[in-house]
Amino acid sequence: MKEENVFAALASTPRRKILSYLSETSLTAGEIADRFEMTKPSLSKHLQILEHAGLVKSEKRGQFVHYSLADDNLLGTLHNYLAAFCPVGGPLKKESAELAKTRKQAMAGGNLKKN
């Protein structure tokens, strides 16, 4: 990981928002796209930049790619901590936590559809 890649990745408001959404749960590209008014190619580019910087990791599950924070990355952990205090990131982090809670409850009840 090169520091300039991390700083370039964090310089973008949409990318910081993506990191906040991923702070508590993994999301598919489609689930992330639903939260933004941008084209799918633009979102894909943002995700590639975050992955290249080592802040996000992807995992193919069936026909979907799930994105999550690269928790083993100190900078990712630091961003996750700071997002709680950010006027923009804080509410997105709470939304992510609610989504994670809903998914956990659905899994416990056996009602979760696989993506």
Side-chain angles (χ1 to χ4, degrees):
M1 166 186 36
K2 294 184 178 179
E3 291 80 13
E4 59 265 16
N5 292 340
V6 173
F7 288 115
L10 294 176
S12 165
T13 299
R15 290 192 287 271
R16 289 191 307 271
K17 287 182 178 181
I18 290 169
L19 291 172
S20 293
Y21 279 125
L22 296 175
S23 65
E24 301 293 329
T25 190
S26 67
L27 297 171
T28 64
E31 291 171 323
I32 296 168
D34 290 345
R35 291 161 170 78
F36 291 93
E37 291 184 19
M38 72 174 66
T39 65
K40 288 187 180 184
S42 293
L43 176 66
S44 179
K45 181 69 174 171
H46 286 298
L47 290 169
Q48 286 175 356
I49 291 169
L50 288 168
E51 247 186 311
H52 185 66
L55 297 173
V56 169
K57 59 185 175 183
S58 63
E59 177 186 354
K60 180 97 166 141
R61 293 186 218 155
Q63 65 186 43
F64 296 96
V65 177
H66 292 255
Y67 292 89
S68 59
L69 289 183
D71 292 331
D72 55 341
N73 181 325
L74 178 60
L75 289 170
T77 303
L78 180 60
H79 177 273
N80 190 26
Y81 173 75
L82 293 175
F85 302 102
C86 174
V88 173
L92 303 182
K93 187 173 170 63
K94 287 179 185 174
E95 181 181 339
S96 178
E98 282 298 316
L99 181 58
K101 180 180 173 184
T102 301
R103 284 183 175 176
K104 190 174 185 177
Q105 289 171 344
M107 286 177 71
N111 298 327
L112 183 66
K113 295 179 185 175
K114 286 194 171 189
N115 286 340

